[in-house]
């Protein structure tokens, strides 16, 4: 059995999850685990299916941006079929970010912060990106693909020049290689637990966990959506995970999706 398959089998051995990881595929190299997951979801792959790759040669992030995915990272996608309304699907992104932050804390004692909606930061630098892609049928979710990319054991010089200042890897933060298997296993357990809470209508737990880890709340932000750019103070998230921003004129805006920039903190 190839080394990477052994690695994967061992990580999933007796993991005891309720839903996540009931079916798993490992790729030595793939275009994108999200693209692969979309194909499998369209062919009927079940809730909780995991796709994990050692290398992605066409990984992508939000806004279809290229996502550099060399060997040494944790690149995975999970097919979910939650019984929730599509407008609450943003919570799945928040659930992903909270699970990564919790896993980093319990495996490496790291206090990760979350920048709305989906960036996990260590010391202010992005170590993990998360995105969801969804297909609906009427007012029901057919599937959501939760894609998570964690920069684990590779040098920052493997990342494109223009993001080296704002991104980091666990190898750099810990000044040594860390156990990818331990991180993966802990992450899957966290995700399974949070997903269970989501399905049993305890999404308040996820929202509170996110609030506690947020780097965005309380900050002056600019959020660029497909329609407009909104500036103001990030005061909270609502029950669907939208960011609530109080603008200069005192109006509250609930923003479902967009690119968020933290502006200078007001003195
Ligand atoms: C972002 O911050 O823009 C989200 C990045 C998501 C990257 C992950 S890596 C695994 C999965 N496969 C992809 O092609 N993208 C996601």
């Amino acid at each position: 059995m190839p080394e990477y398959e052994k690695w994967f089998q061992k990580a999933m051995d007796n993991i005891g999850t309720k839903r996540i990881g009931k079916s798993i595929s490992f790729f030595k190299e793939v275009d994108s685990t999200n693209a692969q997951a979309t194909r499998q979801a369209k062919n009927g792959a079940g809730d909780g299916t995991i796709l994990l790759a050692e290398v992605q040669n066409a990984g992508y992030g939000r806004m279809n941006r290229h996502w550099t995915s060399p060997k040494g990272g944790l690149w995975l996608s999970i097919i979910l079929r939650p019984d929730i309304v599509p407008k609450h699907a943003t919570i799945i992104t928040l659930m992903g970010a909270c699970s990564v932050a919790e896993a980093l804390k319990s495996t490496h004692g790291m206090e990760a912060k979350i920048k709305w909606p989906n960036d996990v930061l260590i010391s202010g630098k992005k170590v993990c990106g998360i995105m969801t892609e969804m297909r609906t049928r009427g007012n029901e979710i057919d599937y959501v693909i939760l894609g998570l990319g964690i920069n684990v054991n590779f040098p920052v010089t493997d990342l494109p020049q223009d993001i080296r200042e704002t991104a980091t890897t666990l190898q750099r933060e810990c000044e040594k290689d860390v156990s990818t298997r331990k991180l993966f296993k802990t992450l899957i357990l966290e995700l399974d637990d949070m997903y269970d809470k989501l399905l049993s209508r305890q999404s308040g737990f996820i929202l509170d966990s996110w609030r506690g880890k947020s780097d965005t709340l309380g900050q002056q932000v600019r959020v660029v959506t497909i329609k407009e750019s909104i500036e103001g103070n990030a005061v909270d998230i609502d029950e669907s995970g939208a960011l609530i921003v109080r603008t200069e004129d005192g109006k509250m805006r609930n923003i479902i999706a967009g690119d968020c920039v933290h502006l200078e903190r007001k003195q």
Side-chain angles (χ1 to χ4, degrees):
M1 190 191 286
E3 208 40 48
Y4 60 89
E5 272 188 35
K6 274 196 235 155
W7 180 97
F8 191 55
Q9 293 295 343
K10 211 164 165 193
M12 294 307 291
D13 231 16
N14 299 322
I15 192 160
T17 50
K18 279 195 181 167
R19 297 177 186 86
I20 312 275
K22 290 290 165 201
S23 166
I24 48 182
S25 310
F26 189 103
F27 301 86
K28 189 146 181 67
E29 183 162 349
V30 73
D31 51 353
S32 146
T33 55
N34 259 49
Q36 186 69 28
T38 303
R39 294 189 279 269
Q40 290 202 10
K42 285 181 178 161
N43 284 330
D47 188 37
T49 300
I50 299 178
L51 297 94
L52 181 72
E54 194 169 37
V55 171
Q56 298 185 114
N57 55 42
Y60 57 92
R62 293 174 66 234
M63 320 280 176
N64 224 10
R65 291 179 194 125
H66 175 71
W67 182 263
T68 304
S69 322
K71 188 171 169 185
L74 202 41
W75 322 123
L76 72 146
S77 300
I78 305 175
I79 299 169
L80 301 172
R81 297 189 185 272
D83 171 24
I84 58 171
V85 288
K87 75 171 182 141
H88 285 175
T90 307
I91 290 199
I92 295 174
T93 315
L94 306 187
M95 170 184 105
C98 290
S99 302
V100 171
E102 283 294 338
L104 288 173
K105 190 171 181 178
S106 58
T107 54
H108 299 101
M110 292 181 148
E111 286 296 333
K113 291 279 180 191
I114 306 170
K115 178 163 163 278
W116 184 86
N118 65 342
D119 292 348
V120 181
L121 314 176
I122 295 176
S123 311
K125 292 182 191 255
K126 179 163 170 173
V127 73
C128 165
I130 295 164
M131 65 190 233
T132 47
E133 296 182 283
M134 174 168 69
R135 183 165 88 169
T136 56
R137 266 207 202 109
N139 197 31
E140 284 182 3
I141 292 177
D142 180 9
Y143 61 78
V144 175
I145 310 294
L146 172 63
L148 305 110
I150 312 180
N151 301 336
V152 187
N153 291 325
F154 59 86
V156 177
T157 46
D158 281 3
L159 294 170
Q161 183 86 50
D162 60 323
I163 60 165
R164 282 184 208 160
E165 283 296 301
T166 53
T168 192
T169 70
L170 292 179
Q171 186 190 65
R172 171 154 102 182
E173 297 306 314
C174 298
E175 296 177 345
K176 60 174 182 82
D177 276 2
V178 301
S179 167
T180 313
R181 185 194 292 150
K182 202 160 124 193
L183 179 63
F184 172 73
K185 193 167 181 174
T186 311
L187 171 63
I188 297 306
L189 287 167
E190 284 292 343
L191 278 168
D192 190 61
D193 189 48
M194 288 228 173
Y195 190 47
D196 194 49
K197 293 207 163 56
L198 176 71
L199 297 184
S200 55
R201 306 293 181 251
Q202 299 174 62
S203 52
F205 177 91
I206 299 168
L207 297 171
D208 283 345
S209 167
W210 190 92
R211 288 180 181 111
K213 296 172 177 52
S214 169
D215 195 39
T216 300
L217 297 184
Q219 293 234 36
Q220 279 297 115
V221 295
R222 180 185 307 120
V223 187
V224 182
T225 73
I226 42 171
K227 282 198 303 209
E228 57 186 333
S229 171
I230 301 161
E231 255 186 62
N233 189 255
V235 290
D236 201 0
I237 45 171
D238 70 15
E239 79 286 352
S240 61
L243 186 67
I244 307 176
V245 174
R246 187 193 300 112
T247 55
E248 278 285 283
D249 57 8
K251 286 199 178 114
M252 295 294 192
R253 303 288 307 272
N254 293 40
I255 308 168
I256 294 167
D259 258 348
C260 176
V261 180
H262 293 173
L263 305 172
E264 291 288 306
R265 279 177 208 264
K266 282 193 173 162
Q267 297 304 308

